[in-house]
Each structure stands twice: as C-alpha cells, then as structure tokens.
Amino acid sequence: MSPATALRQESQSSVSETAIDRERLLNGFREVRARSDALARPLSPEDMTAQSMEDASPTKWHLAHTTWFFETFILRERQPDYREFHSRYNYLFNSYYEAVGARHARPRRGLLTRPSVDEVLAYRRHVDTAMVAMIEDAPDAVWTEVAPLLELGLHHEMQHQELLLTDILHLLAQNPLDPAYREVMPPRGGDTLPQTWCKHDGGIVEIGHGGHGFAYDCEGPRHRALLEPFALASRAVTNGDWLAFMADGGYGDPALWLSDGWATVQREGWRAPLYWQEEDDGVWSAMSLLGRHPVDPAAPVCHVSLYEADAYARWAGARLPKEAELEVAVAGRPIAGNLLSRDALVPQAAPQAVDASADGHPVQLYGDVWEWTQSAYAPYPGFRAPEGAVGEYNGKFMCNQFVLRGGSCVTPDAQLRDSYRNFFYPHQRWQFTGLRLAKDL
C-alpha cells in the first residue's frame, strides 16, 4: 500500500461523508498558507535558520516541511505532469515518515544553511501554484481522492504554525538581549478572577470524535467512559497562584513530586517555570513572544511540565483533570477564547466580567494555555492505527506521553475541536502548557 493510499483511506474516515466543497478548501488552502508566511515575516534569515534544541525546529524547516507534505502526498501521486522543485528535498524535509524513506536527522536541522530562506519561499510558491491548479481543475474522480488529503494537510500545517511560534520563542529566549518576536507591551489582566468550583455529576459519558467533520485518528473511536462525580476549577491556575507555590517551597519539597519529576527538578535545577527569571529587586520576569516583562499575577501560568503541574495540584490539595472530564465540560460550547486569531501571543487573565458560577461552566476552556491532564496518551477502545505513512502520524507516539486539552494563545482556532488531543512528554515545557485543578466529590 502506498503512503498516499493509506493517507487517503484514513482521511476519508475522518471527514464528513458529504461532498467536500472545492471553494471552501481552496479558500482554506490560501488562508493557511498565507498565515504561515505571515508568521515568519517578522523574522530574519538568521532567526529562521537556527535550532535551539533537539525538540524544536527552525522556522525555515517548518515552512519547507509543510510544503513537502502537499508535494509528497498529493502532487507526486495525483498530478502526472507535476515537476519536483528539487529531487533532494524529500530527504531534507521528511519529518518521521519511515514509509516515505530516509531523512535528515532531526537534531541537525539547524545546520541546513542551504537551501536559503529565499529558496524555501520559492519552493512554497512552486507547490502552491501546482496545488491551486489541482484544486480548481482536477476531475471529479481525482478530486474525491484529493480533497481528504488536502484537508489533512491544512490541519497539519496549522499544527506547525503553533510549533513555529513555540520554537521561535525558545530560540529567542536563548539570546541574552531578550529580543522580541513582536515589539509591543503585553496586556495586563488587572485583578485575578476568584477561583470557584464547577461540579459535575459524573456517570457514563461519551467522548471521542463523533465522525462529522475532520479529526485525527487518535480522537476516535467515540466510546463510553465512566466518571465519578467531580469538580473543575472555574479558571486556569495563575502566575499569582504559582508564586505562592514557589514561596511555600514547592520546588524544594520532595513529598509533592512524582519520583521522575523530583529527579528532573534536581537534575535540571528547576525553581520556576521555563523563561522565568528573578530580577535584582526580587520581582520575577518572564520571556515571551513580546519580549521580557514582569510576570502578570492574573495571567495563567505557562511553560510548566506535567511534573510541575502535578506537584502544584498536590500542594493545592487537588489533582489534575482526566481528559474525559475536560471533554465533557467543553462539549457543545463554542470554540472561543484567547487563541491565535486574537493575536495577543501571550496568555491573558480570565475576564472579570465572566462569572463561572452563573451557569456552572468553567472559563478559559479554550485558549491561553494547553491544560495538562493526568491521562496517558493511549489508544481509545477499538483504535487501530492504519497501515502506511498515516499510521505514523499519531499511533506510534502512544507511549510515555500525556494528554493536554484546550489550545493556547498560539493555537489556530480552526485546529480545535472538543475531542482534540494534544500530547507531550511529562518533562517538556517549552510549549504553552499550564493547568487547571480538579477534585473528586
């Protein structure tokens, strides 16, 4: 089975069975591709080439890899007269698809001074021209096969738009000059919204994608789960909350930490979230895409690992939510919040005008920070990873990682659904990761 065939079969099970409208996907393609270009525009060629650590990738690589995806899984397979831009790009810009062939080692992506940024942008234009022509002119029989792959590619690129921003923040944070991605002052949240508890009766609930609209394979099948009665905190944990945890010796108390977490704290010397720095006057500052500024006590804490989130929850006399608890809390609610479309680029305090107790629903369920859960990233009952390249997209990562929910201030809005499962290793914290408390009733 070819990679494109496997991708097509999986994608067709993840999109609506109704006919996919060409104009919608053409507009979506142009919008997503233009957004990637716009996100890279504030950066210099030097910014776009450097790689700050193995987990991160250069901006230039993100721009090329997302282009490679369309070229590899659509144009080469479905456009007989398509001319490759460069014969070696398949090796340079494959990420982890063993079925597609050999690839350049991930930790060495920052050594790719060539192709230049201009050449990568020319590569994007070359592929975009061919893709637009295919979307507009492909016969109906071909379009039926191409449309699901195109939708998958658009969601794939949205994931990389978020990665582009998280990775460039990590890179800029290594610079003693504290350069900003964008030179503006971050908004201040004012007073912290009081934390209350929103109760749920639990019971047998249904979670997972229901089969209408796009979703990744790991979001299904939809299935039943049993939840005991629980409560969720009305808002995310704030920087002010975290400062209290630090002041009470949270990073120095082994009783609060999982064994692996305590070993990581000792080895890495953690005493605050990533990008935090204590200034001479004892005030903490944090590096963000808007530069280094004093920590806002009312904004959600960000860039903390699962280990830190779990230790904080134990210190607070609570626990981390299960992913099913967050899914039932958000089910049916609009996807709205401090997401990428708001263009704030930093987590913001919960609005004072919102009263969670008024309707019993927590706030900030979408946007600001990805919220760690206690749930392992594992297959749902009945999950089967498809054969071929698409089986490598999610299935092979279902080991030793934990689920996060809700999106962040740099997540494209259209990327999210109530069933969307993000996942990272418990020690990682360069992503826009925070937490919300839960407790048993």
Side-chain angles (χ1 to χ4, degrees):
M1 180 184 294
S2 72
T5 301
L7 277 167
R8 181 176 66 255
Q9 290 178 352
E10 172 58 18
S11 300
Q12 286 174 334
S13 67
S14 302
V15 297
S16 172
E17 295 180 357
T18 60
I20 298 178
D21 177 59
R22 290 191 195 226
E23 183 177 1
R24 176 182 68 84
L25 283 178
L26 177 59
N27 292 338
F29 180 80
R30 286 171 167 157
E31 177 184 345
V32 168
R33 299 291 283 174
R35 185 191 302 133
S36 295
D37 293 340
L39 291 175
R41 200 164 293 132
L43 304 173
S44 69
E46 292 83 1
D47 292 331
M48 287 194 267
T49 301
Q51 181 179 16
S52 56
M53 64 167 174
E54 183 175 338
D55 287 336
S57 296
T59 296
K60 183 173 69 175
W61 189 90
H62 285 300
L63 295 175
H65 168 70
T66 51
T67 304
W68 167 90
F69 193 96
F70 290 111
E71 181 179 63
T72 300
F73 297 122
I74 296 180
L75 293 174
R76 286 180 187 157
E77 294 285 333
R78 296 294 160 191
Q79 190 77 310
D81 60 348
Y82 175 71
R83 177 181 56 84
E84 282 187 327
F85 187 83
H86 196 291
S87 61
R88 293 288 285 167
Y89 280 12
N90 189 59
Y91 177 83
L92 286 184
F93 301 124
N94 180 5
S95 53
Y96 51 72
Y97 294 94
E98 300 284 353
V100 176
R103 60 200 178 278
H104 185 73
R106 178 174 181 168
R108 298 171 64 85
R109 290 171 184 170
L111 301 180
L112 297 175
T113 58
R114 301 182 186 182
S116 67
V117 170
D118 286 343
E119 287 172 311
V120 166
L121 295 178
Y123 176 41
R124 287 178 67 83
R125 292 192 295 270
H126 174 84
V127 168
D128 286 356
T129 298
M131 283 296 302
V132 168
M134 169 170 275
I135 296 169
E136 292 179 333
D137 302 331
D140 288 346
V142 174
W143 173 249
T144 299
E145 298 179 337
V146 166
L149 295 170
L150 173 56
E151 186 128 43
L152 177 64
L154 296 180
H155 284 266
H156 169 259
E157 183 149 353
M158 283 187 272
Q159 287 183 314
H160 278 271
Q161 289 168 351
E162 179 162 7
L163 286 169
L164 185 157
L165 291 171
T166 56
D167 290 354
I168 199 63
L169 171 57
H170 190 270
L171 175 66
L172 297 177
Q174 310 313 306
N175 192 322
L177 298 178
D178 292 333
Y181 169 80
R182 180 184 298 166
E183 293 282 358
V184 297
M185 287 294 295
R188 303 295 291 179
D191 295 334
T192 301
L193 187 71
Q195 177 181 285
T196 58
W197 292 97
C198 303
K199 299 179 181 180
H200 192 283
D201 292 336
I204 296 176
V205 300
E206 286 195 354
I207 65 168
H209 191 253
H212 301 290
F214 177 85
Y216 292 112
D217 56 0
C218 65
E219 297 175 52
R222 190 164 178 82
H223 62 284
R224 294 181 300 171
L226 174 62
L227 294 178
E228 299 296 335
F230 68 95
L232 290 177
S234 57
R235 57 160 173 79
V237 171
T238 67
N239 290 322
D241 297 331
W242 204 268
L243 286 166
F245 168 70
M246 291 164 56
D248 197 41
Y251 279 93
D253 184 354
L256 298 174
W257 296 80
L258 297 169
S259 176
D260 287 350
W262 182 247
T264 303
V265 167
Q266 298 297 102
R267 183 178 63 251
E268 302 296 333
W270 290 351
R271 55 190 289 263
L274 183 63
Y275 306 137
W276 282 33
Q277 175 178 297
E278 190 171 18
E279 306 298 337
D280 293 339
D281 57 2
V283 174
W284 288 88
S285 68
M287 183 65 178
S288 74
L289 289 167
L290 309 183
R292 182 168 293 281
H293 299 285
V295 166
D296 179 1
V301 68
C302 193
H303 304 296
V304 294
S305 66
L306 172 81
Y307 294 141
E308 292 165 287
D310 181 80
Y312 176 90
R314 192 170 289 109
W315 172 82
R319 61 171 173 83
L320 294 179
K322 302 172 183 177
E323 66 168 319
E325 291 171 340
L326 289 180
E327 183 164 331
V328 298
V330 79
R333 296 177 70 81
I335 299 173
N338 181 20
L339 296 159
L340 184 58
S341 64
R342 189 174 292 182
D343 203 31
L345 300 182
V346 292
Q348 295 181 301
Q352 292 291 318
V354 176
D355 181 6
S357 63
D359 62 2
H361 290 288
V363 299
Q364 293 180 306
L365 287 169
Y366 285 118
D368 289 305
V369 292
W370 287 101
E371 297 179 3
W372 283 108
T373 74
Q374 62 174 259
S375 300
Y377 179 56
Y380 284 158
F383 172 82
R384 296 290 184 273
E387 297 179 4
V390 73
E392 302 180 54
Y393 201 109
N394 288 306
K396 71 180 184 181
F397 298 111
M398 292 177 172
C399 181
N400 300 330
Q401 304 197 62
F402 284 79
V403 174
L404 303 97
R405 292 293 189 124
S408 78
C409 57
V410 293
T411 304
D413 304 44
Q415 183 181 328
L416 292 176
R417 297 165 291 284
D418 57 13
S419 60
Y420 190 94
R421 308 173 80 196
N422 200 357
F423 53 94
F424 285 102
Y425 291 102
H427 69 279
Q428 292 175 316
R429 55 184 195 160
W430 96 105
Q431 292 292 320
F432 284 75
T433 51
L435 71 152
R436 177 189 305 271
L437 296 178
K439 64 180 181 179
D440 302 315
L441 294 179

